[in-house]
Amino acid sequence: MKLLSSYRYQVHDQRMAILVFYGVMVGMVLLNLLFLPFANAADADLTITSGGITAVTMVFSFILSLCAFKDSFLLNIQHGISRRSQFLARMGAMATVCGAMAVADEIYTLLISLLSLPFPNSFFAHSLYEICYCSNVTSVVSSDFTYTVSTSGASAVLSIVFSFFVLLAVNAFGYLITAFNYRLGKVGKIILWAGWPCLLIAGSALLEVNPWLEKTLLSLLLNLCQMCLSSLPRLCFTCLALTAVFSGLTWLVMRRAAVK
């Protein structure tokens, strides 16, 4: 029973932020639709595009997870809910939230696509899955390129699957960061957040003076991306594996987290 209560609280705690996010996204579409006649008068070739809203949702999901630990953790502890129950409830809440956002992303994309029926030259939308796995570059001119995207009913379902697993991994990573940050003391937080920029600067300088190392690392990175992301099943498996690793580390951090 406490597990269910914790699950409901964690889902409810994120509900308003999600509604505001998609409300803003829909509001932007409606605002564009409102001013479209005036824009067309000035520019007959103006096109409003939405290519891969999941890329934006990934950033939102990451930020949402960064704000999901401390208040929930302290409130659950105050009501006698164990860390194990909180963690299991978090896994369920994370799956529910990511599933809802994946469906909402596809509904948003379909909404833009429907607007292209009465306004065929003004609206254009494809999901991130369709852009990544169902597109072909048709021409390249200087730094610009055009591509065609194949869409179907199956691609809409696969877009939801794609978005769900990607959002799941991003959400789990953000939650791990905020849980780890909670465990650290003041000195540890300073070292963590000041250390990352220093390491990035030092790493950039090292690669700049060693072009062969930069070339080797870039080649390894491209091969890794090709191996893990070259198809939807591979991407789903990679995201699921990352989610499991991040969640496991979160549990190790969370099980001994003190109330402070």
Side-chain angles (χ1 to χ4, degrees):
M1 198 63 184
K2 289 184 177 181
L3 176 62
L4 182 59
S5 298
S6 180
Y7 164 79
R8 288 176 175 174
Y9 170 78
Q10 294 188 56
V11 172
H12 185 271
D13 188 46
Q14 302 175 78
R15 183 181 62 179
M16 185 54 64
I18 295 173
L19 291 176
V20 170
F21 171 72
Y22 285 105
V24 170
M25 299 300 294
V26 173
M28 291 174 62
V29 174
L30 297 178
L31 189 63
N32 287 327
L33 188 62
L34 179 64
F35 287 100
L36 189 60
F38 305 99
N40 282 338
D43 186 357
D45 296 326
L46 180 65
T47 302
I48 299 171
T49 64
S50 174
I53 184 181
T54 301
V56 180
T57 311
M58 286 168 60
V59 178
F60 170 74
S61 178
F62 180 74
I63 297 174
L64 186 67
S65 63
L66 290 177
C67 305
F69 179 77
K70 184 176 180 179
D71 292 341
S72 174
F73 174 73
L74 295 178
L75 184 63
N76 279 273
I77 290 294
Q78 185 179 3
H79 286 80
I81 300 176
S82 67
R83 289 167 174 78
R84 179 177 178 275
S85 295
Q86 288 187 55
F87 175 76
L88 294 176
R90 170 62 192 176
M91 294 299 100
M94 184 170 64
T96 301
V97 168
C98 292
M101 289 193 293
V103 173
D105 281 356
E106 186 58 26
I107 293 175
Y108 177 85
T109 302
L110 293 176
L111 173 65
I112 304 295
S113 299
L114 289 176
L115 288 175
S116 66
L117 297 178
F119 306 100
N121 298 321
S122 300
F123 288 91
F124 172 83
H126 290 293
S127 68
L128 187 60
Y129 164 77
E130 291 171 336
I131 293 174
C132 292
Y133 295 104
C134 304
S135 62
N136 294 303
V137 177
T138 56
S139 65
V140 178
V141 180
S142 65
S143 60
D144 299 326
F145 66 91
T146 59
Y147 60 91
T148 57
V149 179
S150 303
T151 60
S152 63
S155 67
V157 176
L158 294 177
S159 294
I160 295 176
V161 175
F162 171 91
S163 299
F164 172 74
F165 282 98
V166 170
L167 293 175
L168 200 65
V170 171
N171 203 282
F173 181 58
Y175 197 73
L176 170 62
I177 291 177
T178 191
F180 185 69
N181 185 70
Y182 176 82
R183 280 289 305 272
L184 293 174
K186 292 183 179 180
V187 177
K189 291 178 181 178
I190 294 174
I191 294 175
L192 174 66
W193 296 112
W196 279 110
C198 293
L199 287 176
L200 288 176
I201 293 173
S204 299
L206 179 64
L207 293 177
E208 187 175 353
V209 298
N210 295 281
W212 65 269
L213 181 59
E214 180 180 8
K215 184 177 180 180
T216 301
L217 291 178
L218 183 60
S219 177
L220 289 175
L221 181 61
L222 290 175
N223 290 333
L224 182 63
C225 291
Q226 178 69 22
M227 180 179 65
C228 297
L229 309 178
S230 59
S231 65
L232 181 60
R234 289 187 177 188
L235 178 135
C236 292
F237 177 80
T238 300
C239 290
L240 192 61
L242 290 174
T243 301
V245 172
F246 296 150
S247 298
L249 293 174
T250 298
W251 168 242
L252 294 178
V253 172
M254 186 177 177
R255 64 184 299 193
R256 296 185 180 276
V259 178
K260 54 182 179 179

